Amino acid sequence: MPVPPFPEGKAALPPRSAQSQKRAWWQATTLWALIGAMGVLLIVLYGADKFFGANQAQDPTPNVSRNPNPGIDGVIALDVPPEQLETGDCLQGFATALAPVTVVTCATSHNAQMIGSFEVTETQFPGADALMRRSEDLCKAIVLDPKSGIDASWSYHFSRPSEKTWKTGDRTVACFLALNEGTVQNSLLPSDALGITS
């Protein structure tokens, strides 16, 4: 009598040694450990980028509040960034056009004043030297109060766009006059330039 064949799919599998089973388990554990480690690394890198990257972003500087009624010290605002200065601001502790300064009333002792600003109209960056000459011409063309007593003890300072800031849309030239030494207690600009009526 013939032996019926085993139903398909019931064929005996070759025996597997304990060694091969152990290796398969180890490989699966290692694979999951590597996937987990990569996940943790990605989370750490993403978090570090969010934490440190936010500090590197060029967030706009918060506006410094100005005191509309300065006291006896005449201080209107402390540590004002250059981009928040306004034409006519009288400045204490001015050393460079690129550093924060204290804005005071012009009747308070000060060593510099922002006398004006301009927007450069060129579409292409004109080059550092050409832009320096143009900035100097613009600043020296500002009409000053003849009663203010400007002489050789004053120097022009100005900020202007660099090639790098030009690419971000910067076109502003800011003009300053600063004493080489000492202080004054008056404005260098005529009253009508500041909208003051006598």
Side-chain angles (χ1 to χ4, degrees), residues 57-63 83-84:
Q58 293 294 329
D59 291 333
T61 306
N63 283 335
E83 62 272 13
Q84 293 179 27

Side-chain angles (χ1 to χ4, degrees), residues 25-102:
W25 175 86
W26 179 84
Q27 288 172 342
T29 303
T30 303
L31 177 63
W32 284 111
L34 285 173
I35 290 171
M38 287 176 62
V40 169
L41 181 63
L42 287 172
I43 290 168
V44 168
L45 290 175
Y46 176 77
D49 181 59
K50 286 303 229 181
F51 182 75
F52 294 109
N55 294 336
Q56 294 173 356
Q58 293 294 329
D59 291 333
T61 306
N63 283 335
V64 174
S65 62
R66 290 175 174 242
N67 182 357
N69 300 304
I72 196 165
D73 61 0
V75 174
I76 296 171
L78 298 169
D79 294 321
V80 181
E83 62 272 13
Q84 293 179 27
L85 293 173
E86 300 170 2
T87 296
D89 280 347
C90 290
L91 312 171
Q92 272 184 354
F94 179 92
T96 169
L98 302 177
V101 290
T102 298

